[in-house]
């Protein structure tokens, strides 16, 4: 673990909470994630080349289930093999609904702690019944899940004091994106710019995230994302719920018109995680929600005109969608953080939540 992370494990005068510190220092964990993948380059490439599997199952719980939703379409797009995200409890209790009889799956199990009972037991059952390769992504090298895996990408610098996943989530996403980028070498090199881009984004848009987070005129939040962005929209929704206890939901972009838009009024913030592929269609949805009285915010590679939306956050990263997903996260995490503070909540220890869900009877 880097000195910087060790140094800042206690709340310093500089940061008012673990969560804010972990959000604002996450680019260090991104660099560490890129180093971890670089160190395991040969093993990862060999796995992608040999492909001893007919499909990939990606699993986790809570934030890491939403991370699985972001990683599965990426794996399918980058490796050209069927991949799907499934909550660990579904894989554990309803395997026949998840794994087809003729399938030879690889399991990618994602868990910050590596101790979540559902993920551990689903992985144990998978090894027993399918005997396929198990890859894990996490933040704790001593964790039980690491002992169950054939290949582990562990980012120590993703470790956190806060119950809510912020820098751990983004570091694990960078590791997954970098690992799939190894199937297309130049992409991996290009991703080395991500930590600096992340820093610049937080500096440039921190004030807007705080202003919108503290704007009590906004009473409900909708996060829209499709393709590679749906899992990230779902995580943004979870962060807003976990940290601030706000009315919040996530939808596939075009699905929002098919019913949920009935909820839009002048107290609504509709947040669009714009793709490259369907940008024009997605922008039309935001324009329509603005016409219905909602406030609209677009996060995108290229800036969006304020004739189309109220607020625009642009990355200008020069990276493809498959390599830049993590850039959507810092602003959305800060938005949730400042809404939590405005609601008098303490994101370090959210209402009713623990950092790890260990079921009864488990160690
Ligand atoms: C998964 C998780 C977190 C959630 C809470 C409880 O943990 O559901 O996503 O925020 O902290 O645990 P993990 O398996 O990724 O450690």
């Amino acid at each position: 673990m880097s000195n910087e992370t060790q140094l800042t494990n206690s709340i310093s005068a500089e940061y008012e909470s673990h969560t804010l510190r972990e959000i604002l220092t996450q680019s260090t964990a991104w660099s560490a994630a890129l180093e971890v993948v670089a160190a395991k380059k040969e093993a990862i490439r060999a796995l992608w080349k040999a492909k001893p599997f007919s499909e990939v199952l990606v699993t986790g719980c809570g934030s890491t289930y939403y991370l699985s939703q972001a990683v599965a379409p990426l794996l399918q797009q980058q490796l050209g093999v069927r991949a799907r995200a499934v909550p660990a409890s579904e894989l554990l209790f309803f395997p026949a609904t998840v794994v087809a009889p003729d399938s030879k799956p690889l399991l990618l199990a994602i868990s910050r702690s590596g101790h979540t009972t559902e993920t551990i037991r689903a992985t144990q059952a998978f090894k027993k019944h399918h005997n396929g390769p198990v890859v894990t992504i996490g933040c704790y090298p001593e964790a039980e899940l690491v002992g169950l895996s054939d290949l582990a990408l562990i980012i120590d610098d993703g470790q956190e004091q806060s119950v809510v996943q912020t820098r751990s989530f983004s570091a694990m996403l960078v590791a997954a994106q970098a690992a799939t980028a190894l199937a297309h070498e130049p992409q991996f090199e290009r991703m080395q710019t991500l930590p600096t881009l992340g820093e610049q984004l937080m500096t440039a848009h921190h004030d807007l995230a705080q202003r919108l987070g503290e704007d009590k005129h906004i009473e409900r939040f909708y996060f829209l994302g499709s393709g590679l962005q749906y899992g990230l929209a779902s995580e943004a929704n979870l962060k807003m719920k976990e940290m601030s206890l706000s009315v919040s939901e996530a939808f596939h972009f075009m699905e929002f018109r098919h019913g949920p838009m009935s909820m839009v009024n002048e107290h609504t913030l509709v947040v669009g995680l714009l793709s490259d592929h369907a940008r024009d269609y997605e922008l039309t949805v935001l324009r329509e929600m603005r016409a219905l009285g909602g406030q609209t915010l677009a996060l995108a590679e290229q800036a969006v005109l304020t004739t189309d939306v109220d607020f625009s956050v642009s990355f200008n990263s020069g990276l493809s969608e498959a390599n830049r997903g993590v850039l959507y996260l810092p602003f959305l995490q800060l938005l949730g953080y400042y809404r939590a503070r405005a609601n008098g909540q303490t994101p370090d220890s959210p209402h009713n939540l623990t950092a790890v869900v260990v079921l009864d009877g488990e160690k």
Side-chain angles (χ1 to χ4, degrees):
M1 181 187 291
S2 71
N3 289 347
E4 191 273 334
T5 308
Q6 270 163 1
L7 272 175
T8 57
N9 261 349
S10 55
I11 300 177
S12 66
E14 204 181 340
Y15 303 99
E16 63 188 31
S17 67
H18 290 300
T19 310
L20 185 60
R21 173 176 49 75
E22 285 153 4
I23 294 172
L24 294 178
T25 59
Q26 63 184 292
S27 61
T28 311
W30 300 7
S31 303
L34 291 166
E35 284 158 24
V36 165
V37 172
K40 303 234 170 158
K41 232 183 204 178
E42 297 325 313
I44 297 167
R45 269 221 206 95
L47 184 62
W48 296 158
K49 196 151 176 284
K51 242 185 224 149
F53 48 89
S54 62
E55 69 167 323
V56 181
L57 295 173
V58 192
T59 197
C61 301
S63 281
T64 38
Y65 166 53
Y66 300 127
L67 184 49
S68 302
Q69 284 183 331
V71 171
L74 185 66
L75 277 164
Q76 182 153 328
Q77 182 176 299
Q78 296 271 70
L79 303 184
V81 62
R82 208 161 77 86
R84 53 183 295 201
V86 57
S89 53
E90 293 295 307
L91 179 58
L92 177 61
F93 297 126
F94 310 97
T97 68
V98 175
V99 188
D102 59 350
S103 168
K104 268 177 13 86
L106 173 147
L107 179 66
L108 171 56
I110 310 179
S111 173
R112 169 179 66 178
S113 63
H115 285 302
T116 298
T117 304
E118 293 145 82
T119 308
I120 296 286
R121 289 181 46 194
T123 304
Q124 289 165 334
F126 174 87
K127 286 171 74 73
K128 189 160 162 230
H129 301 296
H130 302 290
N131 196 24
V134 173
V135 177
T136 192
I137 300 180
C139 299
Y140 294 83
E142 313 309 323
E144 195 176 349
L145 192 59
V146 175
L148 293 169
S149 53
D150 304 295
L151 177 64
L153 303 177
I154 303 301
I155 309 112
D156 295 36
D157 280 341
Q159 295 176 10
E160 291 164 321
Q161 308 290 311
S162 176
V163 165
V164 297
Q165 297 191 15
T166 55
R167 102 169 152 205
S168 63
F169 185 97
S170 59
M172 292 188 284
L173 176 62
V174 168
Q177 292 191 310
T180 59
L182 283 177
H184 310 274
E185 184 59 34
Q187 290 186 12
F188 180 72
E189 286 324 310
R190 284 196 218 110
M191 288 180 68
Q192 307 307 313
T193 59
L194 282 172
T196 309
L197 290 164
E199 282 295 324
Q200 291 164 349
L201 268 175
M202 285 189 274
T203 309
H205 301 290
H206 191 151
D207 294 352
L208 176 62
Q210 182 165 4
R211 185 153 57 85
L212 288 175
E214 293 173 349
D215 179 350
K216 296 310 281 279
H217 181 70
I218 299 170
E219 294 169 356
R220 54 184 76 158
F221 299 84
Y222 296 108
F223 299 96
L224 310 184
S226 289
L228 300 180
Q229 277 76 245
Y230 178 65
L232 305 179
S234 300
E235 171 61 8
N237 168 45
L238 181 66
K239 283 283 105 38
M240 186 55 80
K241 280 184 166 49
E242 279 184 332
M243 292 201 275
S244 77
L245 309 186
S246 298
V247 175
S248 168
E249 285 186 84
F251 295 95
H252 291 91
F253 234 116
M254 308 296 276
E255 274 303 297
F256 196 60
R257 278 203 197 91
H258 300 279
M261 75 175 185
S262 57
M263 298 289 288
V264 173
N265 63 19
E266 68 282 7
H267 299 291
T268 306
L269 179 66
V270 181
V271 180
L273 287 69
L274 267 62
S275 68
D276 294 348
H277 298 308
R279 179 185 167 105
D280 295 345
Y281 289 92
E282 294 164 351
L283 267 179
T284 312
V285 173
L286 292 181
R287 275 196 290 270
E288 289 174 14
M289 297 315 124
R290 196 183 193 190
L292 292 174
Q295 293 196 61
T296 53
L297 159 71
L299 293 106
E301 174 63 9
Q302 268 117 33
V304 177
L305 302 173
T306 49
T307 45
D308 290 325
V309 295
D310 298 290
F311 310 99
S312 168
V313 169
S314 55
F315 313 141
N316 306 307
S317 68
L319 297 173
S320 72
E321 258 183 70
N323 302 153
R324 65 161 199 257
V326 73
L327 296 178
Y328 291 92
L329 294 170
F331 184 94
L332 296 170
Q333 292 164 349
L334 285 170
L335 181 70
Y337 178 79
Y338 285 110
R339 175 43 57 128
R341 231 181 43 166
N343 287 356
Q345 299 299 316
T346 48
D348 287 0
S349 47
H351 190 230
N352 295 342
L353 294 187
T354 56
V356 185
V357 176
V358 175
L359 303 182
D360 294 346
E362 299 291 327
K363 53 180 170 20

